[in-house]
Amino acid sequence: MNSVGEGCTELKREYDQCFNRWFAEKFLKGDRSGDPCTEMFKKYQLCVQKAIKDKDIPIDGVEFMGPNKEKPES
Amino acid sequence: MRTPDRGASAKFPPFVIGCAGESRIAQSDEVVCVRNRQKLSGHFLRMCAFLHHVIGTPNVERETTVQRYPWETVIKAAMRKYPNPMNPSVVGVDVLDRNLDTHGRLHSHRLLSTEWGLPGIVRAILGTNRTLTYIKEHSIVDPDEKKMELCSTNITLTNLVSVDERLVYRPHPENPDVTVLTQEAIITVKGVSLSSYLEGLMALTMSANARKGWDAIEWIIQNSEREKVPLCDLC
């Protein structure tokens, strides 16, 4: 599965693999010891947040689009 | 949620939409369609019923189905639901935030992008080159109570239509090898132009949670080897 930001897909895959392993083998088994994926997540996030900004994805608000409207400035 | 008013000309009482602690109140110019609620005038009710049918959301306000896998197996699959052949329109998934709350529940906030694949002529009519719609999803996994709740809503085309969907996975109370899924969707329609209907219809046919929600989960469970993180302890 790709990331919303094309350049972030590899970082996303590394993080997902780490998370899925932790989720299945630790979290669901009641092991609350630390999350080993935080560094990976940070790198991945930096990439994604930039892609969201570049693509004007309205993650915090609403977007108005209609047949006669221009794409609004953010 | 309140009992709706009758009468198309009456002002609608506040109607709360949303779940997992994030709710919003429908604005007075929104037309809310909750199947079987009879909240709308005939025209909008028919359109909403049609849209529910097209995107395969439950025929009743809340639909409950079961699947013969234990809850943990289902949850592991649900966290890795995309890609799967039952939801081909989902083209991108990202985790925006993830954290544990004070009760030990895991919260995940995700962004999904779905691709319409509209033909050029339709895009020309709609006046937009944008064919991607975005959905935000909030999930909460409670490993002690064994409950996973997912709420999603579109964040584009919101001036035309809102699709709020909620899924809850729990073990069957009488059989721990079986999981129960409760699913509901609320469609809120705004605007009355033909192009609004068309855009709304397109967005809804690409709903990330298609009718065959269980087919997608089952596919993931059966294909878990490809990611080298087996879902079930017997694999």
Side-chain angles (χ1 to χ4, degrees):
Chain A
M1 186 83 266
N2 292 334
S3 169
V4 160
E6 293 79 13
C8 310
T9 297
E10 201 43 53
L11 290 170
K12 169 191 144 68
R13 290 207 181 131
E14 277 176 20
Y15 167 72
D16 279 349
Q17 257 195 323
C18 179
F19 169 77
N20 288 333
R21 199 171 291 277
W22 171 82
F23 185 70
E25 294 171 12
K26 304 270 180 187
F27 179 73
L28 286 184
K29 299 195 173 160
D31 183 338
R32 301 290 157 86
S33 60
D35 176 1
C37 312
T38 25
E39 283 311 307
M40 241 177 271
F41 186 64
K42 280 185 196 159
K43 277 191 234 172
Y44 164 47
Q45 274 307 291
L46 278 173
C47 188
V48 167
Q49 293 296 336
K50 182 169 187 301
I52 286 173
K53 201 153 166 254
D54 291 344
K55 294 180 184 223
D56 264 328
I57 298 174
I59 196 64
D60 282 320
V62 293
E63 181 184 31
F64 287 79
M65 282 289 289
N68 299 316
K69 289 183 189 164
E70 295 295 313
K71 185 165 171 304
E73 296 301 322
S74 56
Chain B
M1 292 183 189
R2 302 187 195 195
T3 314
D5 277 342
R6 299 243 161 221
S9 59
K11 264 186 111 173
F12 296 123
F15 197 96
V16 178
I17 302 164
C19 62
E22 295 165 339
S23 56
R24 63 182 183 86
I25 299 198
Q27 301 305 305
S28 58
D29 62 347
E30 288 179 314
V31 175
V32 180
C33 164
V34 179
R35 190 66 191 256
N36 291 346
R37 277 292 167 88
Q38 303 291 321
K39 190 176 176 61
L40 313 171
S41 66
H43 171 66
F44 282 109
L45 184 61
R46 278 192 291 278
M47 209 235 348
C48 276
F50 173 67
L51 292 172
H52 270 287
H53 175 74
V54 164
I55 67 167
T57 50
N59 278 333
V60 295
E61 178 189 285
R62 199 165 285 157
E63 183 179 60
T64 302
T65 50
V66 296
Q67 184 60 284
R68 292 189 185 284
Y69 291 105
W71 183 81
E72 286 81 4
T73 303
V74 168
I75 296 314
K76 286 184 268 194
M79 292 304 264
R80 295 155 52 175
K81 190 172 173 187
Y82 305 104
N84 72 74
M86 290 78 187
N87 297 107
S89 59
V90 177
V91 297
V93 179
D94 280 301
V95 180
L96 300 180
D97 189 29
R98 203 160 242 159
N99 58 81
L100 285 170
D101 67 15
T102 50
H103 303 285
R105 299 179 301 194
L106 181 71
H107 292 250
S108 305
H109 292 265
R110 302 202 306 176
L111 174 68
L112 278 64
S113 55
T114 65
E115 171 62 62
W116 298 9
L118 286 178
I121 183 91
V122 179
R123 285 191 282 191
I125 292 168
L126 295 178
T128 174
N129 275 324
R130 291 275 297 252
T131 57
L132 281 177
T133 54
Y134 293 102
I135 292 163
K136 72 171 180 184
E137 179 201 83
H138 177 196
S139 64
I140 306 177
V141 180
D142 188 335
D144 298 326
E145 199 191 318
K146 297 207 182 187
K147 174 180 169 193
M148 176 172 179
E149 184 177 14
L150 272 120
C151 294
S152 68
T153 186
N154 56 304
I155 57 172
T156 51
L157 300 179
T158 48
N159 59 322
L160 300 168
V161 65
S162 284
V163 181
D164 293 81
E165 295 180 282
R166 178 170 182 256
L167 282 73
V168 183
Y169 297 97
R170 277 190 171 106
H172 193 284
E174 284 147 34
N175 182 352
D177 293 327
V178 169
T179 301
V180 179
L181 165 64
T182 306
Q183 195 174 354
E184 62 188 349
I186 298 174
I187 300 173
T188 313
V189 178
K190 306 153 210 186
V192 297
S193 65
L194 176 64
S195 62
S196 296
Y197 287 173
L198 183 61
E199 291 197 55
L201 180 62
M202 289 298 170
L204 294 172
T205 56
M206 297 299 162
S207 166
N209 288 307
R211 181 203 300 272
K212 298 183 181 177
W214 272 127
D215 287 2
I217 295 293
E218 180 148 28
W219 190 89
I220 292 288
I221 289 172
Q222 289 171 6
N223 286 275
S224 63
E225 291 83 47
R226 65 196 162 84
E227 292 219 11
K228 301 191 179 97
V229 180
L231 287 173
C232 56
D233 294 337
L234 300 174
C235 295

